[in-house]
């Protein structure tokens, strides 16, 4: 399976692994790359020396294209400048469309993958001249369902490849995304439940056991997550429930931002993030086991091809008698 997305990014299959913020994901990203997709590395709240070590490990693990992600929650200018010097295949970005940063990446010869959460942001991305647009639906961190958002974004994107994100965990999701006009998918929650992902086993087990309704939008996350570094940026993640999440959503006034923020960051850096904020999308309902990341990518593509063949057969005219 090959689409225009593959040609733009220099990959073999139209699958992008989602970046996972502060978590070390070198092994899972490298495995996605080796399976023909585009692996991603997050940068959020990690010090630059740590990021440089991750990038070096990634280079040692694969010689295939990969992306380094940044966000406006907040933007680490030092890390962004170092990313451009590192020259990954692409910078991926979400929680805002920073036209000035897009220009800087292009000046450095680096492609730009822009995540959007509504059609207005998609228009901003087109005007900024991005190379790929990721349409993230409400099943993940967006506000509009993936089924509705993707065709809207495709309609305004023109020749820019659109990638679907949110609610996609298997080949049926990839096939559906292609039918909606997308050129590929971003897989997030399914890769959290991979062998290589460095999160607590308890978090993976909760993903496998979860129903779609077990994940909730963190409507009051601004009280404890890092602030946005530019006006107009926004985003509301999803998480499985924990005592902290229940308290913060039901009684946000009881959360002290000065205390909660540092405590959460310390827990995430120490591998205990799942105790407070186990970020997870609704596609957890489609995750039934923990698998190697490369197998997840291969199964997704193979199953999508099978789904599309069955669909084509179902729509074929009856054979003449």
């Amino acid at each position: 399976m090959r689409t225009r997305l593959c040609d733009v990014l220099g990959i073999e299959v139209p699958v992008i692994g989602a970046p996972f913020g502060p978590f070390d994901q070198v092994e899972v990203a490298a495995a996605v790359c080796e399976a023909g997709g585009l692996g991603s590395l997050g940068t959020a709240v990690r010090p630059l020396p740590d990021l440089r070590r991750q990038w070096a490990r990634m280079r040692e693990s694969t010689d295939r294209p990969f992306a380094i992600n940044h966000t406006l929650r907040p933007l680490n200018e030092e890390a962004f400048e170092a990313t451009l010097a590192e020259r990954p295949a692409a910078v991926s970005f979400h929680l805002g469309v920073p036209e000035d940063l897009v220009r800087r990446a292009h000046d450095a010869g680096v492609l730009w993958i822009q995540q959007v959460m509504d059609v207005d942001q998609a228009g901003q991305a087109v005007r900024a001249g991005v190379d790929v647009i990721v349409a993230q639906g409400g099943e993940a961190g967006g506000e509009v369902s993936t089924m509705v958002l993707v065709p809207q974004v495709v309609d305004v994107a023109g020749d820019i490849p659109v990638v679907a994100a949110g609610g996609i965990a298997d080949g049926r999701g990839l096939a559906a995304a292609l039918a909606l006009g997308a050129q590929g998918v971003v897989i997030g929650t399914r890769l959290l439940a991979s062998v290589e992902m460095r999160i607590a086993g308890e978090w993976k087990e909760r993903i496998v056991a979860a129903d779609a309704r077990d994940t909730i939008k963190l409507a009051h996350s601004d009280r404890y997550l890092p602030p946005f570094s530019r006006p107009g940026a926004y985003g509301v993640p999803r998480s499985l429930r924990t005592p902290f999440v229940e308290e913060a959503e039901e009684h946000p006034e009881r959360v002290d931002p000065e205390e909660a923020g540092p405590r959460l960051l310390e827990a995430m850096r120490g591998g205990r993030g799942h105790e407070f904020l186990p970020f997870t999308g609704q596609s957890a309902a489609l995750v039934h086991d923990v698998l190697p990341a490369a197998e997840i990518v291969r199964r997704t593509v193979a199953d999508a091809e099978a789904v599309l063949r069955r669909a084509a057969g179902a729509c074929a005219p009856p054979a003449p008698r």
Side-chain angles (χ1 to χ4, degrees), residues 9-298:
L9 297 178
I11 57 179
E12 297 172 10
V13 296
V15 175
I16 298 175
F20 297 118
F23 308 108
D24 185 337
Q25 64 178 109
V26 171
E27 285 77 16
V28 66
V32 169
C33 291
E34 289 298 297
L38 186 78
S40 303
L41 300 176
T43 60
V45 305
R46 286 281 184 179
L48 183 54
D50 188 4
L51 295 177
R52 291 190 190 279
R53 285 190 290 270
Q54 289 188 25
W55 300 342
R57 284 167 48 213
M58 189 69 176
R59 299 283 191 194
E60 293 169 357
S61 301
T62 183
D63 60 0
R64 301 193 179 194
F66 65 92
I68 296 176
N69 177 261
H70 290 270
T71 83
L72 288 177
R73 191 168 213 172
L75 175 68
N76 183 330
E77 174 60 37
E78 183 184 26
F80 183 78
E81 188 63 33
T83 295
L84 298 186
E86 181 70 21
R87 296 288 296 275
V91 165
S92 65
F93 205 93
H94 62 279
L95 307 182
V97 185
E99 295 186 16
D100 57 321
L101 302 185
V102 176
R103 289 193 296 270
R104 285 171 59 186
H106 285 165
D107 289 345
V110 177
L111 298 174
W112 191 275
I113 302 171
Q114 178 66 51
Q115 178 181 289
V116 304
M117 290 181 283
D118 57 41
V119 71
D120 291 335
Q121 278 195 335
Q124 294 175 33
V126 171
R127 292 189 292 274
V130 307
D131 302 287
V132 174
I133 299 176
V134 175
Q136 185 187 63
E139 295 88 338
E143 297 296 327
V144 181
S145 75
T146 302
M147 182 70 74
V148 172
L149 180 61
V150 170
Q152 284 187 296
V153 175
V154 168
D155 287 345
V156 303
D159 293 333
I160 302 172
V162 174
V163 179
I168 297 165
D170 57 27
R172 293 171 294 182
L174 173 54
L178 296 176
L180 294 173
Q183 298 288 307
V185 294
V186 171
I187 297 179
T189 297
R190 168 70 270 201
L191 286 172
L192 279 174
S194 65
V195 172
E196 296 89 344
M197 190 63 207
R198 289 191 178 186
I199 60 172
E202 178 185 341
W203 187 352
K204 297 181 186 182
E205 291 168 5
R206 289 198 63 192
I207 291 172
V208 170
D211 181 73
R213 290 178 294 182
D214 292 332
T215 75
I216 61 172
K217 296 294 285 290
L218 303 177
H220 301 288
S221 58
D222 286 351
R223 291 190 65 85
Y224 47 84
L225 290 181
F228 295 103
S229 54
R230 296 190 184 187
Y234 66 94
V236 182
R238 281 189 178 273
S239 173
L240 294 170
R241 299 174 186 274
T242 65
F244 173 82
V245 167
E246 298 278 7
E247 177 77 2
E249 293 304 304
E250 293 179 16
H251 303 286
E253 73 283 355
R254 298 180 185 176
V255 177
D256 178 3
E258 298 299 322
E259 184 275 334
R263 178 160 57 97
L264 289 174
L265 292 181
E266 179 184 3
M268 288 180 181
R269 291 183 180 126
R272 298 179 294 105
H274 67 288
E275 298 176 5
F276 298 93
L277 287 174
F279 296 118
T280 303
Q282 287 185 312
S283 64
L286 304 174
V287 178
H288 307 300
D289 47 20
V290 176
L291 295 172
E295 184 174 349
I296 291 171
V297 173
R298 288 193 290 267

Side-chain angles (χ1 to χ4, degrees), residues 17 179 303:
D303 289 350

